[in-house]
Amino acid sequence: MSHFDSVLLRSLLAHTALALTSLSVAAQTPSNGATPSPSDLKVFDPSLIDASIDPCENFYRFSCDGWFKKNPLPPDQTSYGRFTELAELNRLHLKQILEGAASAHPEARSPNEQKIGDEYASCMDVEAINKAGLTPLKPWLDRIAAIKSKEQLPDLLGHLHRLGVSAFFRMSSTQDYADASRVISEYSAGGLGLPERDYYTRTDAKSAEQRRQYTEHVKNMLVLAGESDEQATKEADTVLTLETRLAKASLTVTQQRDPQNLNHPTDVASFDKQLTHFSLARYDDAAHAPVSGKMNDEEPKFFAEFNAMMAETPLEQIKVYLRWQLLHAYAGTSLPEAFDHESWNLYSHILNGAQKEQERWKRCTQRVDREMGEALGQVYVATYFSPEEKNRALKMTIAIEEAMGKDIDGLDWMSPETKVKAKEKLHAVMNKIGYPDKWRDYSKLEIVRGDAVGNQERVREFNFDRQIAKIGKPVDKGEWYMSPPTVNAYYEPQQNNVNFPAGYFQPPFFSDKEDDAANYGDMGSTVGHELTHGFDDEGRQYDKDGNLKNWWTKEDEQKFNERAACMVKQYDAIEAVPGVHLNGKLTLGENLADLGGLWLAWIAWLDKSESAHLDMNAKIDSYTPDQRFWIAYAQQWCTQTRPEQLRTQAQTNPHAPDEYRTNTVLQDLPEFAKSFSCKKDAKMVIEKPCRVW
C-alpha cells in the first residue's frame, strides 16, 4: 500500500468499526493556518527544489527542502507532508458536506444525509457530551461490576466485542486461505492498549519509560471514572500485568507479515473444546457469531495462553481489565473532554510527539468518514470525482500492468514455468478505481442526534454484525475497505485486486494539467507499488485466485529470497533515530513495492514517451522529462516528522520513513543516477543495488 500494509488491512477486516483510524491518512492544517487551494498543489513543483543541494548527494533534500522551508511542522501534528496537504483539502470538502447535512431541514435530507449530519452534530456538541459524563456507559460499567463468576464472562465479552471493545481477542470473518471464494470465521489476538506487543517486552530505558507512562495513563483514566488514586494505581498495575501476558503470547508485527504464520484452519466445535475454561458457544451466541462451521485460529499459542489466563486470573482482576478496555475504546470524541485529552496526551503527545490537539471539527469529520464512509463518500464523489477522472486513472493503471508484463518477460532469474504463473496472476488482477459500484446500505443503522456514545455503540454493532453476516456467503470482491475520500490505496492479496480511492487522484499526486513525466513519477509509482504487492514477500504466496498456494518452483523461490535478503540487510542498516534502526524484515514488503512500483512506472512512462516521440532533451522549468519523473516521485514524500513519531514508526510500521522511501529506493535504480549524471562515488550511487522486480 502507499502508506499501509496488508497486516493492517487484515486488522481492518477483523474490526472495521475501529481499524479505519489506522488506515486513514489524517488531514492536517498547514502551520500558517491556511488551507492549500488546489491551484497551489502541483505534482512537479520546481519551487520546492533546493538547487544548492547536489541531487547526487541527497536527492530527498534536493527535491523537498523548499517545501520544508514553507511548511514547518504544525504543533498539533506528529508528521505533516504532501499527503496531509491533499487530505486537508478533502476533509474541508467533507466538513462542508457534513455541516450542510447537519443544518438542513429534516424533511429536505435523504436518509444517509440524516445519519451523517446528525452524527457530526452529535460529535461537535461538546457541552452535551461533558454534561452526560459517563452516564451513557454506565449500563456496561454496571454489568462488568455485577459479574459474579467466570461462567458469565463469555456472554459479556461477546456483547463488548460487538461494541468495539477489543478485550482479550478479536472475532470476525475472513476469506478462507485454502479457498478464497469462501468466507469463514476467524479468531485473532487482541486486548493490548499499547501500539503493539514489543512495547511490553523491550528492555531498553525508553521502552521502560513508556510502560511507566502507559500505566500512569491507565491510572488517570480510572481516576476520571471515579476510582480513588490509590485504587486506580493498583488497578493500572493489574492492567499492565494482564496485557503483558497477552503480549508475550502474541506474534510480533514481523511474524504477522507471513500468512503461513496466520493460517491455522479448524472448526468452531473443535476450537470450543480447546478452550476448556471459556465457553465459546456462549460467546458466539452473545456475539451473534456462527456456533459451527470452518474457522481460522490465527494464533493458537495466544489462545492457549488466553485459556490458561481464564483459569488462573482472579475474577476481580479480569473485571478491572474489562473496565479499562471499555473506557479505552470510547475515550475520544464520545466521552467528556477530560477523557479525550488524557487519551490524546498518551497516544498523540507522549508516544508520537504532538504538541497540540487537533481542532474538534477535524476529528469529528474523520469520525463520520470512519463510521459511515460510503454514505459520506457517495456525496463526495458526486461533486469531486468525475467519470472522466475515473477513466484517466484506469488508463494509467492498465499501462502500469502492461509494463509489469514486460518486466516479468525480461527477468533473467525467473524460469519460464514461473513466469507463466506470474503473468496469469497479473492478468487476473481486478482494478477498482474511485468508489464502489454498489454503495453500502446503512438503512438498518440508527443515528440519534445528541447521543454521541449511543451512536458509536450502534455504529460498531452495525459494522461488527455486517462482518459476521458474510460468513458462509460468497466473497464480495466489489467491497471496499477504504472510503472514497481517502488519500491512500491498497492491494488485497486474497482478492487479487488493487484499490485506488477517488480522494487520491488529485494534485499533488495526479493532474491532467501536468505532463506524463510528473504523473507517472508520482501516481504511476503508487499504482506500480500496489501492483507489486501482489508479488512481494507476502503477496507472492497467493495464487491468481487469492488462495494461499505456492506457484513458484523451488529454484525461483530461492532466487527471490536471496534478492529480498539484500533489501532486508539494506534497511536494517538505517538508523531512524539514535539507537533505533529500521526493521528490514518488517518493512520488506513495502520496500519491495516502493522499488518495484517506481521501476514499473519508469518502464510505462518510457513506453508512452517513445510512442509520443517525446524530446528527452527538452526542458521545462530547467529539468528534462526524465529528471522531472524522478523529482515528482521524491516530492510526493516531502514530510516533516517528529523524532517521537520516527521512533514509533521504526518499531511498529511496515513502511520506512519517507526520506528512505526516496533516497534508498533511488540508490537501487542506476537509471536515476544516469538522469542526473551522478559520479560513482556519489552518495546516491551504491556499488551493488538491490533488485527483485
Side-chain angles (χ1 to χ4, degrees), residues 405 408-409 418-428 535:
I408 292 171
D409 286 336
T418 303
K419 284 183 180 180
V420 169
K421 296 291 186 181
K423 294 188 74 171
E424 285 179 355
K425 181 171 184 178
L426 171 64
H427 294 150
F535 302 86

Side-chain angles (χ1 to χ4, degrees), residues 121-133 335-337 360 450:
S122 301
C123 180
M124 291 295 292
D125 192 350
V126 178
E127 182 178 351
I129 291 171
N130 286 339
K131 184 177 180 180
L335 293 187
E337 287 177 292
R360 183 83 181 186

Side-chain angles (χ1 to χ4, degrees), residues 28-46:
Q28 297 129 352
T29 301
S31 56
N32 59 12
T35 301
S37 70
S39 61
D40 293 333
L41 300 177
K42 298 177 181 178
V43 182
F44 168 79
D45 191 342

Side-chain angles (χ1 to χ4, degrees), residues 358-547:
Q358 285 190 338
E359 294 175 75
R360 183 83 181 186
W361 74 264
K362 294 183 180 181
R363 294 186 291 133
C364 290
T365 299
Q366 186 178 12
R367 171 173 168 169
V368 179
D369 186 34
R370 180 173 67 247
E371 294 177 342
M372 293 173 280
E374 291 190 18
L376 181 56
Q378 191 171 2
V379 182
Y380 171 86
V381 298
T383 306
Y384 299 108
F385 193 66
S386 68
E388 291 77 17
E389 289 173 306
K390 183 171 183 174
N391 188 52
R392 282 196 300 272
L394 180 59
K395 285 183 177 179
M396 173 178 280
T397 303
I398 292 172
I400 301 295
E401 290 172 347
E402 291 174 349
M404 183 163 222
K406 288 182 61 176
D407 184 50
I408 292 171
D409 286 336
L411 293 174
D412 60 4
W413 58 269
M414 182 179 282
S415 68
E417 179 183 348
T418 303
K419 284 183 180 180
V420 169
K421 296 291 186 181
K423 294 188 74 171
E424 285 179 355
K425 181 171 184 178
L426 171 64
H427 294 150
V429 170
M430 177 182 177
N431 300 317
K432 292 160 64 178
I433 308 293
Y435 49 88
D437 293 330
K438 181 180 179 181
W439 294 100
R440 191 166 296 171
D441 180 6
Y442 294 96
S443 59
K444 294 182 179 180
L445 173 62
E446 182 186 13
I447 296 296
V448 178
R449 199 179 188 103
D451 187 10
V453 170
N455 288 340
Q456 195 161 33
E457 289 178 348
R458 288 185 289 272
V459 163
R460 290 174 172 180
E461 288 176 332
F462 173 84
N463 282 319
F464 187 96
D465 291 347
R466 191 178 62 81
Q467 290 291 338
I468 300 304
K470 297 177 185 180
I471 298 171
K473 297 178 181 178
V475 171
D476 178 8
K477 291 189 175 182
E479 183 181 10
W480 283 67
Y481 308 128
M482 287 182 178
S483 69
T486 303
V487 185
N488 213 326
Y490 67 96
Y491 170 80
E492 208 326 274
Q494 286 188 281
Q495 296 183 19
N496 194 25
N497 56 34
V498 289
N499 304 259
F500 303 101
Y504 206 165
F505 283 95
Q506 304 174 71
F509 304 113
F510 186 77
S511 173
D512 60 355
K513 296 179 176 60
E514 297 192 48
D515 66 351
D516 287 330
N519 282 320
Y520 273 77
D522 193 330
M523 182 56 71
S525 68
T526 296
V527 173
H529 175 108
E530 302 308 335
L531 193 59
T532 303
H533 270 311
F535 302 86
D536 67 15
D537 62 309
E538 180 182 358
R540 72 170 189 83
Q541 299 185 57
Y542 298 87
D543 67 11
K544 66 181 180 65
D545 298 315
N547 300 314

Side-chain angles (χ1 to χ4, degrees), residues 229-375:
D229 191 87
E230 181 181 1
Q231 182 67 18
T233 298
K234 294 178 181 178
E235 293 183 349
D237 289 337
T238 295
V239 168
L240 183 65
T241 299
L242 292 182
E243 290 187 3
T244 300
R245 189 169 175 180
L246 292 172
K248 289 180 176 179
S250 304
L251 294 176
T252 67
V253 288
T254 303
Q255 290 169 331
Q256 290 178 54
R257 289 207 65 259
D258 186 347
Q260 302 294 343
N261 292 332
L262 306 175
N263 181 27
H264 305 285
T266 182
D267 60 79
V268 177
S270 298
F271 188 56
D272 187 14
K273 291 178 182 178
Q274 294 172 23
L275 298 178
T276 54
H277 298 285
F278 184 85
S279 172
L280 192 69
R282 292 183 64 178
Y283 167 86
D284 286 337
D285 182 63
H288 302 175
V291 297
S292 63
K294 186 175 182 180
M295 59 155 283
N296 184 50
D297 174 4
E298 197 172 77
E299 298 190 32
K301 177 184 174 183
F302 175 88
F303 282 101
E305 183 68 4
F306 164 71
N307 188 51
M309 289 179 69
M310 289 295 98
E312 299 164 4
T313 308
L315 179 61
E316 288 306 311
Q317 291 186 9
I318 293 175
K319 290 163 68 172
V320 166
Y321 169 74
L322 293 178
R323 185 161 62 251
W324 150 246
Q325 283 286 325
L326 177 65
L327 294 171
H328 175 59
Y330 281 82
T333 53
S334 289
L335 293 187
E337 287 177 292
F339 289 91
D340 190 8
H341 182 74
E342 175 59 37
S343 184
W344 170 87
N345 185 57
L346 177 75
Y347 293 103
S348 295
H349 174 57
I350 292 175
L351 295 183
N352 291 295
Q355 300 301 307
K356 178 184 176 183
E357 285 190 81
Q358 285 190 338
E359 294 175 75
R360 183 83 181 186
W361 74 264
K362 294 183 180 181
R363 294 186 291 133
C364 290
T365 299
Q366 186 178 12
R367 171 173 168 169
V368 179
D369 186 34
R370 180 173 67 247
E371 294 177 342
M372 293 173 280
E374 291 190 18

Side-chain angles (χ1 to χ4, degrees), residues 607-645:
D607 286 346
K608 192 167 185 181
S609 299
E610 184 176 339
S611 299
H613 304 290
L614 182 67
D615 183 356
M616 300 300 281
N617 295 313
K619 294 185 177 182
I620 298 177
D621 296 314
S622 303
Y623 296 97
T624 61
D626 56 333
Q627 290 174 332
R628 292 198 304 277
F629 175 94
W630 304 116
I631 294 170
Y633 171 75
Q635 287 186 339
Q636 71 177 304
W637 301 118
C638 298
T639 306
Q640 302 271 33
T641 307
R642 297 189 188 280
E644 297 92 340
Q645 169 67 20

